[in-house]
Amino acid sequence: MQVRAVQWFTPPISPSPPRPFFGQERALRALEDALRLKAHAYLVGPSGLGKRHHLEALLRTRPVEALELVYLPLGGEGVPALLPPGAGRELLEGVEALLGEFSPALFRERAFLYAKALAEARHRKEAEELLEELSEEARRHGYVLEEEEEGLRLSGKGPLPAELSLKLEETVLAYLEAAQRAQAEVAALRRAFAERLLAPRVGRLKEGFPQVGRYLDWLLERLLLAAALEEEVAAEEVLPRLLVEGPSRLVFEPLPTPERLFGHLEYEQKDGGLSTHLGLLQPGALLRATGGFLVLEAAKLLEYGSYPLLKQALRQKEVEPVKRLEAKGPRIKPAPLTAQVFLVGPPEVFAFLEEDEEFLELFGVRVEFSPDLPYTRENAAQLGGFLEAQGVRLTPGGLAALVDEARRQAEHLERMDARLFRLLDLAKEAQTHQDPVDREGVEKALRAREERFALEEETYRREVEEGVLSLTTQGLAVGEINGLVVLEGPIPQGRVVRITARAAPGREGVLSIDREVGLGGQLFHKAVLTLAGYLRGTYSEVGALSATVSLVFEQNYGGLEGDSAGLAELLAVLSAISGLPLRQDLAVTGAIDQTGRVLAVGRVAEKVEGFYRLCRLQGLTGTQGVVLPEANLRHLTLRREVVEAVEGGEFHLYAVKNVDQAIELLFGMRAQGFMGFHARVKEALAHFQALENGHEQEE
């Protein structure tokens, strides 16, 4: 069937404000389920769909319980606590005020100084009495009591009497006990005065922050002990560390290393070694998202080795900051994990993760984003609204041109590419050519992109012109056909390949040279085996296939994959067996099954355009064209130049449903019936069989 109507371009259309998740309603419903269930979820879809953009826009509309996370010093540990919004800052300021009042000025009050003086006076009086008594005893024995820096000493003539030596020891011990009692009394006095000031204030803090009562009791005892011992208290040793505060709890971590994901302690050099304290504790993304949402890229999570640690954290529902070094400092206790985690990534990454049963248990909701959208006027207008919201000004014609490109990237007349941010990049480039963006600006941007990747195409054209690549688009040839392939890349390019076949009597069947030398992939091998199955089924009445047919993609030096050349390969094989020539002005694309149906293939528009460019290069004759599967008609998103050539009769498209229709086009004769093409093939196979059998009899 010749295809004449190939117009498909989008009419001018005005943008309209986009609704959330337009065209991705399935994903929106799944996300609503995840939020209702408070379940961790993963968003699946190719890059460029705006998965994270859509997700974060939705999450910003959801209320969160913005609890504040503080770490409290408690003995040798850092203990986490969750406080209501604003309470963490109030607690920190309250403790700072308490430390501000705990100063040397506290012990310069008149009452304290008077009580201290009385205690010290009692000590001096008791000490003086002890020394006077010892001095009197020493004089009776002819000795003198002397006070030196090293202590008390008795000097005199002769050996020191035993009773006097004993008296000296008793006096020294009594003196030391009196001094200790005086120190204890002064320490108790300092503690009492500090407690009188601090205890009421700590009591008020406990009333305001009952969740941290244990810490406040410890803090009071620590300050009272420091007061009694006349020690200074380092603020970093007793202050709470406010890790998370504020209402914003939507966190995206682009670099999810263990340290950035779970938090970590930093270190400082002190007294010849490493030390740390709570003030050096840095929160990770899981803690910064406390009570809210954390968004991560699944591929990055695997790349940085954080996935096993994340599983452990989700399973235990707690976050333990990373300790990188052994150093003097507090032991950090894990904090409760209250964030809802969303992973974003392409299907191939999640196909790997879904093999892990624990992953499916922890991430209970799969959110699927479709790679394309229905092409409707409403969706096209909303695409324009999305682009305008990103700062791109559009004319109706410019939006229509962008929608054309979206349909072309989707490879479907009734679908649009859903990779919104790739279209946004194109629109922004078009805006540099024309603002507001019109069709001409879009076409300039597309030509500029093609030019940036055009070196290989230029080399290909030059080699065709110079005859380095042996390709022809006119005439007839036996066992030769123009097949079509696509070079994948940022801008896929259709190319023409010459497929040749040679047949002779034998028993080896179809022998793919590319397959034999390892240039063919699995799907390519499947296509060759399917071709052989068609031959056996179609010509079974002749008996066993008594032919050896070699098949090769000429001048191909790279790998081949896919089954889209199956129809072309079959026609080349049939031509080689029958000796009937094939038209060289037609190129062929399409897969086949063993029954002879022609099946759809990918990138059909690029393949048609590739043959059109070759024909234009060698000269359009008016008879050239492409034979393609009828199932691919809805995928013909052809460039305007090719559309005009088809409608002007310079280039032709033929859609076929089965092998017989392709045979009639390429060989110019009917497929079935008396003296039809299949009869000629059977005759040739019978001749091969006779030759093969005769050769065997001679042997």
Side-chain angles (χ1 to χ4, degrees):
M1 176 185 71
Q2 186 169 358
V3 182
R4 301 182 186 278
V6 288
Q7 282 284 349
W8 64 278
F9 302 107
T10 305
I13 187 169
S14 298
S16 65
R19 66 181 184 276
F21 286 77
F22 75 91
Q24 300 286 2
E25 287 76 14
R26 180 203 309 273
L28 177 58
R29 290 192 298 270
L31 281 173
E32 294 285 2
D33 290 342
L35 292 170
R36 187 180 67 256
L37 297 169
K38 297 183 178 180
H40 306 301
Y42 58 108
L43 285 64
V44 186
S47 61
L49 295 177
K51 300 184 292 296
R52 184 163 67 87
H53 171 83
H54 285 308
L55 172 64
E56 291 180 354
L58 176 66
L59 296 180
R60 287 190 190 97
T61 67
R62 300 306 165 107
V64 296
E65 188 179 10
L67 296 176
E68 296 187 343
L69 176 64
V70 295
Y71 260 86
L72 308 169
L74 200 56
E77 296 181 336
V79 180
L82 292 174
L83 300 178
R89 178 63 57 183
E90 291 178 12
L91 173 64
L92 179 59
E93 292 173 352
V95 174
E96 287 175 338
L98 186 69
L99 293 179
E101 294 180 356
F102 182 70
S103 68
L106 172 65
F107 304 106
R108 289 198 291 267
E109 293 184 9
R110 181 177 299 177
F112 172 76
L113 294 175
Y114 178 73
K116 180 184 177 185
L118 288 177
E120 291 173 343
R122 286 194 299 271
H123 165 64
R124 284 194 300 272
K125 183 179 179 182
E126 186 177 355
E128 289 171 358
E129 290 176 351
L130 288 170
L131 294 177
E132 181 62 31
E133 183 180 350
L134 177 61
S135 179
E136 181 66 27
E137 183 72 19
R139 282 196 297 271
R140 285 198 299 267
H141 288 82
Y143 282 83
V144 177
L145 176 64
E146 297 177 352
E147 293 186 51
E148 298 178 348
E149 290 184 4
E150 293 81 5
L152 300 176
R153 188 173 73 86
L154 292 171
S155 62
K157 296 180 179 180
L160 186 67
E163 62 270 21
L164 189 56
S165 176
L166 179 60
K167 183 64 175 178
L168 176 61
E169 291 180 7
E170 291 174 349
T171 301
V172 169
L173 290 174
Y175 183 88
L176 293 175
E177 288 176 0
Q180 289 174 352
R181 286 195 300 272
Q183 290 176 353
E185 187 175 348
V186 172
L189 190 61
R190 290 175 63 88
R191 179 185 176 98
F193 267 79
E195 187 170 13
R196 186 184 66 182
L197 174 70
L198 300 179
R201 289 165 171 74
V202 171
R204 288 193 291 272
L205 286 175
K206 289 176 69 174
E207 291 176 2
F209 308 99
Q211 309 95 322
V212 298
R214 184 175 165 218
Y215 158 70
L216 292 171
D217 288 339
W218 172 86
L219 175 63
L220 177 60
E221 183 60 31
R222 178 70 182 86
L223 295 178
L224 295 181
L225 180 62
L229 300 178
E230 298 186 62
E231 294 178 345
E232 289 187 2
V233 177
E236 65 267 15
E237 294 180 2
V238 296
L239 275 176
R241 172 73 166 104
L242 179 55
L243 278 187
V244 181
E245 63 176 328
S248 177
R249 297 302 168 86
L250 173 56
V251 177
F252 168 66
E253 177 50 66
L255 196 69
T257 62
E259 288 82 1
R260 293 175 66 93
L261 190 57
F262 298 94
H264 64 280
L265 274 169
E266 294 182 343
Y267 302 89
E268 59 185 10
Q269 194 78 22
K270 191 174 182 181
D271 298 330
L274 289 176
S275 65
T276 187
H277 53 78
L278 286 183
L280 297 178
L281 178 59
Q282 304 301 319
L286 277 168
L287 294 182
R288 288 187 283 117
T290 294
F293 311 106
L294 174 61
V295 182
L296 300 169
E297 292 184 10
K300 294 289 185 183
L301 196 66
L302 291 169
E303 178 183 349
Y304 292 109
S306 300
Y307 172 61
L309 298 174
L310 177 62
K311 284 199 302 180
Q312 180 180 343
L314 295 178
R315 185 172 57 249
Q316 298 177 352
K317 298 183 179 179
E318 60 183 24
V319 182
E320 183 172 3
V322 176
K323 187 176 182 180
R324 294 176 293 184
L325 301 170
E326 289 297 327
K328 181 181 178 182
R331 296 185 304 275
I332 306 300
K333 292 289 188 180
L337 194 162
T338 61
Q340 188 173 359
V341 180
F342 294 87
L343 299 185
V344 179
E348 55 269 21
V349 172
F350 287 115
F352 169 74
L353 290 176
E354 285 172 339
E355 294 179 2
D356 179 6
E357 292 184 4
E358 193 173 14
F359 170 80
L360 296 175
E361 293 173 1
L362 294 171
F363 291 87
V365 178
R366 176 184 170 100
V367 182
E368 293 182 331
F369 278 74
S370 173
D372 51 46
L373 311 174
Y375 165 59
T376 64
R377 190 171 185 83
E378 179 185 9
N379 280 344
Q382 290 188 73
L383 171 61
F386 165 78
L387 296 174
E388 288 196 329
Q390 305 301 314
V392 179
R393 296 193 303 157
L394 298 165
T395 66
L399 176 55
L402 289 168
V403 172
D404 283 348
E405 188 60 20
R407 294 166 68 191
R408 182 174 168 83
Q409 292 300 319
E411 302 180 55
H412 204 293
L413 297 175
E414 298 168 7
R415 307 290 297 179
M416 295 165 46
D417 190 355
R419 294 174 294 181
L420 304 181
F421 284 86
R422 294 196 179 184
L423 289 170
L424 175 61
D425 290 341
L426 175 62
K428 286 181 176 179
E429 184 172 349
Q431 195 171 26
T432 65
H433 296 288
Q434 197 74 30
D435 190 8
V437 175
D438 59 10
R439 180 174 287 278
E440 182 180 357
V442 175
E443 290 175 351
K444 285 182 178 178
L446 288 171
R447 285 196 297 271
R449 287 189 171 190
E450 291 174 358
E451 178 67 22
R452 294 195 289 269
F453 293 92
L455 181 59
E456 191 172 359
E457 179 68 15
E458 289 178 2
T459 303
Y460 169 74
R461 289 200 304 267
R462 185 176 67 251
E463 290 179 345
V464 170
E465 289 176 324
E466 295 174 352
V468 175
L469 291 178
S470 178
L471 296 171
T472 181
T473 57
Q474 299 180 40
L476 300 170
V478 175
E480 297 186 23
I481 194 168
N482 286 320
L484 297 172
V485 298
V486 170
L487 297 183
E488 295 292 348
I491 299 181
Q493 294 283 349
R495 293 286 171 82
V496 183
V497 293
R498 188 165 64 98
I499 303 172
T500 64
R502 286 294 178 265
R507 299 290 186 184
E508 296 184 45
V510 179
L511 182 67
S512 169
I513 295 175
D514 296 288
R515 175 185 177 183
E516 292 297 318
V517 299
L519 291 179
Q522 290 183 338
L523 295 180
F524 178 81
H525 294 174
K526 177 184 176 184
V528 174
L529 295 175
T530 302
L531 182 162
Y534 171 85
L535 293 176
R536 286 193 298 270
T538 304
Y539 306 111
S540 58
E541 63 188 70
V542 180
L545 195 63
S546 299
T548 296
V549 186
S550 60
L551 182 69
V552 69
F553 282 61
E554 300 289 356
Q555 295 184 287
N556 168 65
Y557 309 107
L560 294 169
E561 185 57 295
D563 60 356
S564 65
L567 178 58
E569 291 175 298
L570 174 61
L571 294 172
V573 167
L574 292 175
S575 173
I577 293 173
S578 66
L580 298 172
L582 285 159
R583 290 177 60 178
Q584 302 300 296
D585 58 352
L586 295 180
V588 178
T589 185
I592 60 168
D593 65 15
Q594 293 188 102
T595 67
R597 294 188 185 90
V598 177
L599 309 176
V601 295
R603 301 284 185 192
V604 68
E606 286 84 354
K607 291 173 181 176
V608 170
E609 291 163 0
F611 190 61
Y612 172 78
R613 288 194 299 271
L614 177 64
C615 294
R616 186 185 61 189
L617 182 66
Q618 295 187 339
L620 290 167
T621 64
T623 65
Q624 295 146 329
V626 173
V627 177
L628 53 92
E630 187 176 85
N632 276 126
L633 289 178
R634 65 190 62 192
H635 306 135
L636 285 176
T637 53
L638 300 169
R639 293 292 188 203
R640 192 174 295 274
E641 180 185 3
V642 181
V643 169
E644 291 173 353
V646 171
E647 294 192 336
E650 295 180 312
F651 195 74
H652 306 280
L653 299 178
Y654 301 95
V656 297
K657 292 191 293 185
N658 53 56
V659 171
D660 284 358
Q661 291 178 348
I663 286 172
E664 292 175 357
L665 282 168
L666 271 294
F667 289 98
M669 61 187 300
R670 68 178 185 273
Q672 302 289 343
F674 178 70
M675 294 302 293
F677 180 80
H678 289 302
R680 298 285 295 273
V681 174
K682 291 175 182 177
E683 181 181 335
L685 289 173
H687 179 62
F688 281 176
Q689 189 176 61
L691 291 174
E692 183 70 15
N693 291 338
H695 178 68
E696 290 177 355
Q697 289 173 6
E698 289 177 7
E699 291 182 347

